[in-house]
Amino acid sequence: MSEQDEPFGAISEETWQRLEQAAIAVRERAYVPYSGFPVGAALLTPEGEIVVGCNVENATIGATVCAERNAIGAAVASDKREFVALCVVTDVEEPSAPCGICRQVLAEFCDDLPILMINPHGQRRFTTLDTLLPMRFSGRDFLEKE
Ligand code: THU
């Protein structure tokens, strides 16, 4: 089974809830005049810090940046490159998974990552980056050859 119903790993329920609250709060700040589909993302660092991101759309559509990638960008800019969990919030019945581009960007910084997908009404789905992007290309594939 690729999707799990319960929290897993070393992260406590209280920490998951902290991550959820951060993702729910940042979703309110999403800039979504074109899709009307706000997304919130919260990354947890090994030190227990939380870094958030929301989607920022653009009139070109193509220049839109997803919540997950904005969270990664904010984290790297504040000197954080290691993550132990991600929470993504969307307001749909079956909470959305990160898009393909975001999966690849998450893979740049994470070997694997527990991912909690939620909606603001209490629905939760758990998965992992390994499940969402198996057999992925990694910078390690060529860096290790030198
Ligand atoms: N979006 C995200 O923020 N994260 C994803 O993983 C999927 C899609 C955003 C992009 C766009 O602003 C809106 O959702 C609709 O695609």
Side-chain angles (χ1 to χ4, degrees):
M1 195 160 116
S2 60
E3 201 175 297
Q4 304 181 18
D5 297 325
E6 296 298 327
F8 54 89
I11 295 153
S12 68
E13 175 60 25
E14 189 238 308
T15 302
W16 280 119
Q17 282 179 22
R18 215 160 48 85
L19 205 57
E20 282 187 25
Q21 291 315 311
I24 288 169
V26 72
R27 181 174 164 272
E28 299 294 322
R29 300 197 282 276
Y31 175 72
V32 291
Y34 306 106
S35 73
F37 188 72
V39 183
L43 287 162
L44 182 69
T45 72
E47 294 77 31
E49 288 177 67
I50 290 174
V51 186
V52 295
C54 57
N55 48 339
V56 179
E57 296 189 340
N58 186 270
T60 63
I61 309 302
T64 290
V65 184
C66 293
E68 298 89 327
R69 270 177 289 146
N70 276 329
I72 288 278
V76 171
S78 58
D79 206 22
K80 297 173 182 71
R81 296 179 180 183
E82 280 182 59
F83 310 107
V84 294
L86 168 69
C87 177
V88 182
V89 190
T90 51
D91 194 355
V92 284
E93 206 170 307
E94 199 166 311
S96 305
C99 80
I101 298 171
C102 288
R103 294 176 196 195
Q104 184 67 43
V105 171
L106 290 164
E108 184 72 20
F109 297 98
C110 311
D111 283 335
D112 193 11
L113 187 70
I115 299 174
L116 172 59
M117 300 161 285
I118 65 167
N119 68 25
H121 316 291
Q123 265 83 37
R124 278 175 149 198
R125 296 163 76 196
F126 283 93
T127 189
T128 66
L129 185 58
D130 268 349
T131 304
L132 295 179
L133 194 64
M135 230 172 91
R136 54 185 169 263
F137 181 74
S138 157
R140 286 179 280 284
D141 293 349
F142 58 89
L143 292 175
E144 278 165 14
K145 293 209 160 44
E146 284 166 16

